Amino acid sequence: PVLPSHTQVSRDPRMAWVDRLLSDEECDEMIASAQRKGLHQSAVASLRDQTTEAASESDLKLLRGVSAGRTSSSCRVDRSLPIVATAVLRVAHLVGMSPYCSEGVQVVHYAAGQKYDAHNDWFQPDTPYYHEKIKDRGNRI
């Protein structure tokens, strides 16, 4: 297949609009793989300490929980599936980065009226878990 076209939205941070990353058939295959695995209520990350008083970074955990701000359903799909690997490789080629740099691939479903409120989606340097989260793949943009 021909690589999708893209339009630069911003230079800093680097963002682009990608038109038709996957064909309709590829989308159907990705959705079917998520349905086989089982979609569940989407979660959000939140910081909670394991003890009443966290003494160090090792005492903290980044937990996933349900939020009224995110009402979709989702699941991660296996990167070893050919359709998932194809999508990851296309994105890596478009952005000029190694596919190793990508996060896990998710399929997210929004029914009518569902939402995901505006939020920060990166790791703040002044948080206790910052160094742990960025050590292998860096921060999100």
Side-chain angles (χ1 to χ4, degrees):
V2 176
L3 282 174
S5 65
H6 64 285
T7 305
Q8 186 172 15
V9 175
S10 170
R11 288 184 188 270
D12 188 21
R14 187 171 61 166
M15 291 188 294
W17 172 265
V18 179
D19 189 39
R20 302 200 43 85
L21 178 67
L22 299 174
S23 69
D24 290 345
E25 294 79 17
E26 290 169 324
C27 288
D28 289 344
E29 188 176 339
M30 183 84 75
I31 291 166
S33 70
Q35 289 171 332
R36 283 190 299 274
K37 185 169 182 182
L39 293 160
H40 56 273
Q41 184 170 0
S42 298
V44 296
S46 62
L47 183 66
R48 306 206 197 274
D49 59 59
Q50 286 181 281
T51 62
T52 54
E53 291 185 21
S56 68
E57 187 170 324
S58 64
D59 289 335
L60 298 172
K61 281 188 173 179
L62 191 64
L63 301 175
R64 300 193 57 76
V66 175
S67 168
R70 185 174 191 190
T71 58
S72 59
S73 57
S74 61
C75 79
R76 288 192 184 248
V77 287
D78 186 348
R79 289 178 69 136
S80 69
L81 295 173
I83 185 56
V84 179
T86 295
V88 169
L89 289 172
R90 283 185 194 159
V91 170
H93 178 77
L94 281 170
V95 300
M97 295 178 74
S98 166
Y100 172 76
C101 295
S102 73
E103 293 185 353
V105 178
Q106 296 184 65
V107 171
V108 182
H109 173 73
Y110 289 91
Q114 289 186 321
K115 63 179 181 166
Y116 196 2
D117 289 340
H119 61 285
N120 294 330
D121 204 16
W122 63 86
F123 302 111
Q124 304 257 2
D126 61 346
T127 57
Y129 55 85
Y130 176 77
H131 294 290
E132 177 67 25
K133 296 303 286 183
I134 67 156
K135 73 178 180 180
D136 291 329
R137 296 185 183 180
N139 206 350
R140 301 171 177 176
I141 294 178

